[in-house]
Amino acid sequence: MPKPKKHPAARPVAAATTPPDRAPLTGRFGVAEGVALFAAALCLLLTWLSRNTLNPDGVSYLDLATRLAQGDWSSFVQGYWSPLYPALVALVSAIVGREPVTLIATAHAISGVFALLTIALLWWWGRALPGRLFGGAAVATFLLISAGLPRIEAVTPDVVLLAIMAGIGYELLPRRGERWLLLGLLLGAAFLTKTSAWPWLLVMVPLRLWGARDRTERWNVMRSSLVAIAVMLTWIVPMSRKAGAPSFGSASSLNTCWYLEACDSRTPDTHLGGHRAYHQVNVDSAGTLVWAEFATGEKWTYAPWSDPTAWSAGVLSNHSIVPTAWDLVSYWTRQFRNTFGLWLLPVLLGILLPSVLLLRRAGRWRALLAEDRMVLVTALLGFAGVMQFVLIHSEPRLIAPFGLLLALAVLHWASSGAATPRGSPLLLHPGVTLLGMAGAIGFAVPRLQEGWRSSMRIDGLVNAIAHTDATMRSAGMTQERIVVLGPAIPIEASAYLSGAHIVAQLLPSSVEVLKRLPTDQQQRVIGALFSGKADIAWLTTLDAGVTMVVIPKPGDR
């Protein structure tokens, strides 16, 4: 009589076991957790030290935040600066206040919060992978990818974009785009954070379609792309209406002019050509004085830099150089060398290369064209984002978000799949993380020291400005409207901290003409040109030096 067959027990759909090299979520504290907490502490410290630090780009973002907070939507909509970051500052300012020092601290706090969110996401992402490497190595990469700590001290949206790019990486790799609505919102937010990224977003669609495994994933690509387009249109439509033609923004065209063609019309600081805002007068035999008047001076700290699109529209002529093929090759070679041979090199050699060598497995390279294709797609997207800036203008804070996406793809690929390969010493895996952290600390120490010194200098500047304002008010004068004699960009942060708006500027080349005049004639010329426009003129230098000059009123000697 035949024996009855034994049927194997049905396997559960999801195994409840924990990988051998992975501890349960509760009760675990390892290298990744220690690295994440240390990184968070560094970012919090940098946020505090840089709370009053301000750069010229930051003045423009804060000006835009003020315009939006005051309901001036027409001025807020412009083509160069991206809208999401100043919108966040404007939103928070409704709670904390809109004084200049408060807005600066608010902007840094926003960057600090997004830095902490990025660290938390990378740590959480690492818990979904079987190896010990990803969490700590990814956080170390985050601390190094900007050629040092994230640029929290710069009032720019770059740290926000770092967080968004980490979210995009998480949705593309472990989630494979299945949460298409969230992924689409993140892609749209990437555009609102850095509008010059729109070519990168276009490249993403065919690459993701190529990386999709089945019809469902291809549909998710299209759904997320439609969501991203809907978010992008919230900015593209008002920009296009203001420009009178379809527009993705002016950042690409203006940066191409400034960096590839060496146009000198970026601001009056360097412009030697003509502009609709310029006026000129001959002064005896000394020469010709050229100055600019800014009709929107009451809105902007420095109109040419707070709205470069409008300023560029008024340029009548500029001095530029049409680059030859050799010039372009030479420029791109320098850009590529600096990007990959200097700024990204610590991550490439200190983290990514050791990770791949430690966790390589037979067949994994071939899998990049099969089941691991989304890893290759994500890495290519990161590389394409970096190269977009290499082609026009590359610097660490600009390439960092896309470099992070590239690095996360490599780390995810190296850490996923089977557990630790045989013969690979376990101690070497946290060793990669600690090597990266050692590099990050090496970069962090001088940055924190400079942050401390900068904090002390700016605190002194704020106190000096308050004293100067009190003295001027007692004399019946105000510093809300000023005239700049010389370069304006170096002193723009000081003007913002003073609550000043630059309403006119004597071009730097004309300052030398003015200085050739006798002192009494200098006073008469300044009074004749700028009386009634402001009470005070700032005589400035390239190293941010300022000498205050009282503008004589009619009847004054």
Side-chain angles (χ1 to χ4, degrees), residues 40 111 123 145 153 156 176 187 245 411 428 455 476 487 506 520:
S111 295
W123 169 80
I145 201 68
E153 71 272 24
T156 60
R176 293 197 62 87
L187 294 173
L411 289 173
L428 288 181
S455 178
L506 185 66
D520 59 341

Side-chain angles (χ1 to χ4, degrees), residues 143 256 421 445:
L143 295 181
T256 298
V445 170

Side-chain angles (χ1 to χ4, degrees), residues 76-289:
F76 179 75
V77 175
Q78 46 77 55
Y80 190 77
W81 305 109
S82 305
L84 183 60
Y85 187 60
L88 290 173
V89 175
L91 181 64
V92 178
S93 72
I95 302 171
V96 301
R98 295 171 186 161
E99 292 298 318
V101 174
T102 304
L103 279 182
I104 296 170
T106 298
H108 290 300
I110 289 171
S111 295
V113 167
F114 275 91
L116 296 181
L117 290 174
T118 308
I119 293 168
L121 174 62
L122 297 179
W123 169 80
W124 181 258
W125 183 345
R127 300 202 62 86
L129 297 175
R132 302 180 179 185
L133 176 71
F134 183 89
V139 172
T141 298
F142 173 68
L143 295 181
L144 277 173
I145 201 68
S146 303
L149 294 180
R151 302 290 171 166
I152 295 173
E153 71 272 24
V155 179
T156 60
D158 302 291
V159 180
V160 176
L161 189 58
L162 274 170
I164 291 173
M165 206 58 63
I168 291 172
Y170 182 75
E171 295 301 323
L172 288 177
L173 292 169
R175 291 287 185 174
R176 293 197 62 87
E178 62 183 9
R179 300 194 294 191
W180 55 268
L181 177 59
L182 177 57
L183 179 55
L185 291 173
L186 287 171
L187 294 173
F191 170 78
L192 297 181
T193 307
K194 186 72 70 174
T195 56
S196 59
W198 64 265
W200 176 80
L201 290 167
L202 293 179
V203 170
M204 172 175 280
V205 176
L207 273 177
R208 287 182 60 206
L209 287 172
W210 176 69
R213 294 179 298 189
D214 51 36
R215 184 178 180 181
T216 299
E217 289 194 356
R218 286 191 288 274
W219 270 113
N220 287 340
V221 171
M222 301 311 298
R223 291 187 185 106
S224 62
S225 299
L226 289 174
V227 173
I229 291 172
V231 175
M232 293 167 64
L233 286 174
T234 63
W235 188 241
I236 292 173
V237 169
M239 271 197 307
S240 300
R241 290 185 63 183
K242 187 171 183 178
S247 174
F248 285 89
S250 60
S252 297
S253 59
L254 290 180
N255 285 333
T256 298
C257 178
W258 297 337
Y259 296 108
L260 292 185
E261 300 172 8
C263 298
D264 69 350
S265 56
R266 191 174 187 179
T267 69
D269 286 9
T270 56
H271 192 198
L272 300 176
H275 195 282
R276 292 173 187 165
Y278 288 169
H279 308 271
Q280 64 181 37
V281 62
N282 292 322
V283 185
D284 298 333
S285 59
T288 301
L289 297 179

